[in-house]
Amino acid sequence: MDDSLEAANQRVNGIEVKLHAQSDDLAQLKAMMKEMANQQISIKQTLQTLAGEASSSQNVRMPQHPALASNQEWIGEGPPTYRSRRPRRDFPSFEGEEVHKWLYKCNQYFDLEEIPETDKLKLASYYLDGLALY
């Protein structure tokens, strides 16, 4: 009887060791999954930031498809989707005359180029010349 009791105790001890090992493995998997979830959140935030910057920037160039004419861009992969590019516009400089005309052109430029409100004054002041600069 003692032999069978000892064998049963050894089996119980073996099962407990395996359960502890599996519990440790599960804890490690849980920690790894939590880290992966945090990395995915970080990647998602980075992609959202980059997507926001790309959509607000007019200087981002899409890849050119070789068969395109020079006034169109190829968007994405797979069957090409085309759009026409807007002509590049220069910001108007101001020398002190016809301020209303200049302000109108500035506002048109800001709208066309989707300039953020926080950058408008800095951009406009850079293009002051002559008496307007003083």
Side-chain angles (χ1 to χ4, degrees):
M1 247 310 200
D2 287 332
D3 289 338
S4 64
L5 184 59
E6 188 176 324
N9 281 336
Q10 285 179 351
R11 280 185 279 168
V12 168
N13 287 340
I15 291 171
E16 286 176 346
V17 167
K18 287 181 183 178
L19 282 175
H20 286 294
Q22 288 179 346
S23 178
D24 290 344
D25 289 346
L26 286 174
Q28 288 176 347
L29 284 172
K30 184 178 177 182
M32 287 171 52
M33 289 177 68
K34 186 175 182 179
E35 178 62 26
M36 287 173 61
N38 288 336
Q39 288 175 354
Q40 286 179 337
I41 290 170
S42 176
I43 290 169
K44 180 181 175 185
Q45 291 170 342
T46 301
L47 289 174
Q48 287 174 335
T49 301
L50 291 174
E53 290 172 2
S55 67
S56 68
S57 171
Q58 297 300 316
N59 295 330
V60 174
R61 300 293 305 226
M62 299 303 245
Q64 285 287 340
H65 189 279
L68 290 179
S70 62
N71 67 339
Q72 293 181 331
E73 292 181 1
W74 176 55
I75 302 172
E77 296 184 16
T81 302
Y82 301 100
R83 69 174 177 166
S84 294
R85 282 188 271 162
R86 291 191 315 239
R88 186 171 178 269
R89 309 267 313 169
D90 291 326
F91 194 88
S93 61
F94 181 65
E95 295 184 7
E97 297 179 6
E98 299 181 337
V99 66
H100 295 292
K101 181 179 173 182
W102 180 73
L103 289 173
Y104 176 80
K105 287 183 177 182
C106 289
N107 285 320
Q108 293 290 34
Y109 182 89
F110 296 149
D111 289 343
L112 285 171
E113 297 300 325
E114 300 175 354
I115 304 296
E117 196 69 31
T118 56
D119 295 339
K120 290 179 180 180
L121 180 61
K122 189 185 318 179
L123 181 64
S125 65
Y126 180 79
Y127 286 92
L128 297 176
D129 288 324
L131 292 175
L133 183 58
Y134 296 107

